[in-house]
Amino acid sequence: QDSFLAPDFLEIVRYCTSPDAHLQGLLRYIKSFSDKRIYRLPVFTEEFCKAFVDELENFEQSDMPKGRPNTMNNYGVLLNELGMDETFITPLREKYLQPITALLYPDLGGACLDSHKAFVVKYSLHEDLDLSSHYDNAEVTLNVSLGKDFTEGNLYFGDFSQDPTPVPKYIEIEHVGAQGLLHRGGQIHGALPVASGERWNLIIWMRSSVVRNQLCPMCNKKPELVEAEGFGDGFTETLEDDAPETVNLCSLW
């Protein structure tokens, strides 16, 4: 619902869907960090974040079966297990985020992000405390700070995975409640330890089959596809001429 979304975020989406939208115009609405193509923007209302975390805690405390968010996080929630893919994350990606990513990341399939993996991670003193350097199985990642009350636990960003330097330069970025960070999935990053409280973050790994059908971002090889439930890892079956099925719907700029 639009009521879940920050008014400033809706204004950004309105600009990005206007006929004369362009990158420099978009950058007037959002904060850019260094030259690493990392951007901060408002996403949700604070009221929605609180209600969302309350619902996640209800699920966490239930006896329903739960999977791990990913191989590096032990605490959190896979949103497809709550039935939130088709009703929440898919329309958020298609209607609201894709007009933004089309301008910010045209070279990464930002105009045709056709699948995702969405989860919430939780950090606290007695559970997962931090997260070591890694890059994501995604073309573009959105990381939204949901709360609750915490200190420290900033994110840090280094080089792009395909362009490492002998002495990488890292920048540290502080969380802002109800706001999100957009970055390239291949950007090496991590999370510093929280000093107190609990930190909940919504992570959406957004994927473009047009891009990853050509080269897997994790192994740098042409993917060999196997059947999977849901979105799998974002690959699609190819046509006889080896072109992605989605190629007639969108193209890389």
Side-chain angles (χ1 to χ4, degrees):
Q1 299 179 27
D2 279 4
S3 61
F4 296 164
L5 303 170
D8 288 347
F9 177 71
L10 294 173
E11 184 178 350
I12 292 169
V13 176
R14 279 193 293 271
Y15 172 77
C16 292
T17 53
S18 65
D20 56 348
H22 54 86
L23 176 60
Q24 292 306 314
L26 170 58
L27 294 179
R28 294 197 296 264
Y29 290 87
I30 63 180
K31 181 176 177 60
S32 176
F33 293 91
S34 74
D35 59 349
K36 296 183 184 295
R37 302 176 72 188
I38 304 164
Y39 307 98
R40 174 184 283 148
L41 71 167
V43 181
F44 301 119
T45 66
E46 292 184 3
E47 294 77 14
F48 171 76
C49 289
K50 183 180 184 307
F52 187 30
V53 171
D54 286 346
E55 186 68 8
L56 295 169
E57 287 185 316
N58 290 337
F59 176 68
E60 187 184 46
Q61 293 163 12
S62 75
D63 58 2
M64 299 177 71
K66 306 170 185 68
R68 289 177 59 185
N70 57 67
T71 57
M72 299 182 72
N73 291 99
N74 296 297
Y75 297 92
V77 177
L78 286 161
L79 294 190
N80 67 312
E81 293 186 346
L82 278 79
M84 290 187 176
D85 255 347
E86 293 306 316
T87 58
F88 176 25
I89 301 300
T90 294
L92 179 65
R93 168 175 53 81
E94 293 180 342
K95 182 179 178 181
Y96 299 94
L97 293 173
Q98 191 158 282
I100 301 172
T101 58
L103 292 176
L104 294 177
Y105 306 105
D107 53 323
L108 298 173
C112 43
L113 298 171
D114 50 5
S115 68
H116 63 259
K117 178 178 180 179
F119 51 94
V120 173
V121 292
K122 174 187 174 187
Y123 298 91
S124 67
L125 293 180
H126 303 296
E127 298 178 340
D128 283 339
L129 188 65
D130 55 14
L131 187 62
S132 59
S133 295
H134 66 284
Y135 57 93
D136 300 336
N137 186 359
E139 274 63 72
V140 180
T141 295
L142 175 68
N143 182 332
V144 184
S145 177
L146 302 174
K148 303 163 66 174
D149 293 324
F150 62 90
T151 57
E152 303 297 335
N154 291 346
L155 298 177
Y156 62 89
F157 292 85
D159 296 322
F160 193 65
S161 61
Q162 296 177 5
D163 306 305
T165 57
V167 183
K169 295 181 179 179
Y170 287 90
I171 62 169
E172 191 173 323
I173 300 178
E174 187 176 356
H175 293 283
V176 177
Q179 296 198 17
L181 292 171
L182 277 170
H183 64 86
R184 296 172 294 176
Q187 194 82 46
I188 296 172
H189 60 285
L192 297 171
V194 292
S196 65
E198 288 183 3
R199 178 165 76 79
W200 292 72
N201 286 69
L202 168 65
I203 313 294
I204 307 178
W205 288 350
M206 294 179 282
R207 297 157 169 167
S208 170
S209 61
V210 172
V211 173
R212 61 181 41 218
N213 273 19
Q214 307 306 311
L215 194 70
C216 172
M218 305 305 287
C219 69
N220 289 319
K221 297 178 181 177
K222 187 171 179 60
E224 296 181 10
L225 304 185
V226 297
E227 287 191 19
E229 294 185 7
F231 288 124
D233 271 354
F235 304 97
T236 64
E237 290 290 346
T238 56
L239 300 176
E240 290 183 4
D241 61 357
D242 209 32
E245 288 183 350
T246 53
V247 77
N248 63 334
L249 300 179
C250 56
S251 61
L252 296 180
W253 296 357

